[in-house]
Amino acid sequence: MTSLGGVEMVDWNLAVATATRLVRPGPEVSRDEARAVVAELRQHAKVSEEHVRTFTRMGNRTDAEAAASGDTPPPVLVVDRAGWVKANVAGFRELLSPLLGKMHERRTGGPGGAMLGAVGGKVTGVEVGMLLSFLASRVLGQYETFAPATRELPASSEGGGRLLLVAPNIVHVERELAVSPHDFRLWVCLHEETHRTQFTAVPWLRDHIQGEIQSFLSETDVDPSTLLERLREAAQSLTGARPSGEEGEEASDRSFVELVQTPVQREILNRLTAVMSLLEGHADYVMDGVGPEVVPTVAEIREKFQKRRATGAGRLDQALRKLLGLDAKLRQYRDGERFVRAVVEEVGMDGFNRVWTSPNTLPTKSEIAKPADWIARVHRKAD
């Protein structure tokens, strides 16, 4: 699927096949139960749209309004774990093409070229597939922003985008937490629908984030052998094949994002961290803000879910979360929610919504930690 100069750097087809083969099938449900779960998630997603629009006061069009004007709104797709893998491989392929092209240019001349030549796209595809199989059993939902539309996985006509709800994972977690399935499914849909609202109500947001990611990748100057070695560390962790002497803090604390840390990239990464903290924290704030009116057991769900989110599923899970940078993701939920809550309490929802005016009104990483600084900067002229 990805051919650069006639040489595959990553065999994406093999990555999909490997992840699909290795991923666990999910909890046992009957055919009728599965149909009922899918139908309920679709209904909750539809209901969540109006709840989110009303609570956030974000002026995006409803799906019906978009359809009436001839646009295709971002679809809601209820998928299994294999469907999530396929959607994300398409997104990775789109985003990583510039980096893979850069690596290919270095392949023949640098010391990493020999290793890449020996390993090849097949092995790399297997290792990417192993990582995706790990992640595919943990994601409840996702607004998939960058992948192109396909017949199997349609997307919005307005620059792409689709909402994915991973049904087996949602059922697995609701059973593990012993919470009301109806309430939990609606609660999850409120979070994910908030992400869909963010991108449909703020037209420049997708291009801004994609531009930041491409700027980060364009600054990458990584030895291909280093990238493969880091990928291999993660894959070996999944299979328990990591040598016993490599389980120390240095091995487990590194993440893919830390492969390259040039000064320019640190600045870009700080901006990306801030905007992702905003998006995730905003979604958490909305799901809990809407929750008391439409999700009777929201307090119980939040308490149990927070404990699960913080502890992970054991030593292996914690090591992989560090390696893949998922610990940083968890901090984004926490820090971003605190930022949104503090700003709304101080200037109200309309005052908070100035954050969506332009890239210049997005909070910086330091402002996420100090909401008063963002309020002073953005509201200074009005005051």
Side-chain angles (χ1 to χ4, degrees):
M1 292 172 64
T2 299
S3 181
L4 302 169
V7 181
E8 277 192 340
M9 299 290 288
V10 179
D11 189 329
W12 295 110
N13 280 327
L14 186 56
V16 171
T18 300
T20 303
R21 185 175 67 254
L22 293 178
V23 73
R24 297 175 181 177
E28 291 188 9
V29 294
S30 68
R31 187 179 296 273
D32 288 342
E33 287 174 323
R35 288 173 177 165
V37 170
V38 170
E40 185 172 25
L41 286 173
R42 286 176 176 159
Q43 180 61 30
H44 282 334
K46 184 177 181 180
V47 170
S48 295
E49 180 187 7
E50 185 60 33
H51 287 314
V52 171
R53 290 177 75 246
T54 300
F55 183 81
T56 63
R57 303 180 190 175
M58 297 179 73
N60 62 304
R61 297 177 297 171
T62 64
D63 286 354
E65 291 168 340
S69 66
D71 295 323
T72 303
V76 177
L77 306 179
V78 181
V79 299
D80 58 11
R81 292 168 177 177
W84 180 88
V85 167
K86 292 175 183 177
N88 278 268
V89 162
F92 292 159
R93 180 188 178 192
E94 187 82 5
L95 283 177
L96 293 177
S97 290
L99 176 60
L100 293 177
K102 189 171 185 177
M103 289 175 62
H104 176 62
E105 292 175 0
R106 296 186 53 178
R107 180 171 186 167
T108 56
M115 176 174 286
L116 265 177
V119 175
K122 297 292 184 185
V123 174
T124 309
V126 168
E127 292 174 335
V128 169
M130 293 173 71
L131 294 179
L132 287 171
S133 71
F134 170 79
L135 295 172
S137 63
R138 284 156 173 78
V139 177
L140 300 182
Q142 173 189 7
Y143 187 75
E144 214 297 312
T145 316
F146 303 112
T150 65
R151 181 181 301 178
E152 186 178 14
L153 292 167
S156 167
S157 61
E158 300 177 302
R162 55 198 168 212
L163 181 61
L164 306 177
L165 297 170
V166 190
N169 295 348
I170 293 173
V171 172
H172 171 77
V173 174
E174 71 191 26
R175 291 180 178 179
E176 180 183 305
L177 298 181
V179 294
S180 163
H182 173 85
D183 287 2
F184 184 74
R185 293 167 193 175
L186 178 55
W187 189 70
V188 170
C189 286
L190 287 169
H191 181 102
E192 302 307 334
E193 180 60 38
T194 302
H195 286 316
R196 189 166 76 134
T197 297
Q198 290 163 348
F199 283 93
T200 54
V202 186
W204 54 263
L205 185 59
R206 176 185 181 274
D207 290 341
H208 172 70
I209 293 177
Q210 185 173 28
E212 292 280 56
I213 293 173
Q214 293 301 337
S215 296
F216 183 90
L217 294 177
S218 69
E219 292 290 328
T220 299
D221 187 22
V222 61
D223 190 304
S225 63
T226 304
L227 181 61
L228 285 180
E229 181 59 30
R230 192 62 49 80
L231 188 63
R232 188 162 294 105
E233 288 178 9
Q236 288 173 346
S237 295
L238 288 173
T239 61
R242 181 194 297 278
S244 59
E246 296 182 6
E247 295 183 354
E249 181 178 353
E250 180 180 355
S252 63
D253 283 349
R254 294 178 298 178
S255 71
F256 284 110
V257 126
E258 294 169 331
L259 274 170
V260 187
Q261 287 292 294
T262 67
V264 172
Q265 285 181 314
R266 275 194 292 272
E267 293 179 7
I268 298 172
L269 190 57
N270 284 340
R271 294 196 298 268
L272 279 171
T273 298
V275 72
M276 296 312 296
S277 297
L278 170 68
L279 298 180
E280 296 295 358
H282 183 234
D284 263 13
Y285 178 80
V286 171
M287 72 194 297
D288 287 344
V290 174
E293 295 185 8
V294 299
V295 183
T297 59
V298 64
E300 176 192 0
I301 291 173
R302 166 57 72 188
E303 180 182 1
K304 291 182 175 180
F305 192 77
Q306 287 287 56
K307 290 180 180 178
R308 181 184 186 275
R309 179 187 274 177
T311 59
R315 183 181 180 188
L316 175 60
D317 186 76
Q318 291 171 4
L320 280 167
R321 290 195 330 190
K322 289 181 179 179
L323 184 65
L324 299 174
L326 300 183
D327 276 354
K329 176 86 167 175
L330 299 181
R331 288 193 295 273
Q332 289 171 2
Y333 288 105
R334 180 194 64 206
D335 298 343
E337 195 275 341
R338 289 174 180 170
F339 170 84
V340 176
R341 184 175 302 279
V343 172
V344 173
E345 288 177 354
E346 182 68 23
V347 298
M349 186 63 74
D350 290 335
F352 166 79
N353 281 339
R354 290 195 191 182
V355 77
W356 312 116
T357 304
S358 74
N360 292 330
T361 57
L362 291 173
T364 64
K365 188 177 179 180
S366 64
E367 288 172 342
I368 288 288
K370 297 180 179 180
D373 291 352
W374 180 86
I375 294 172
R377 176 173 65 87
V378 173
H379 287 261
R380 183 181 301 128
K381 288 185 179 180
D383 293 344

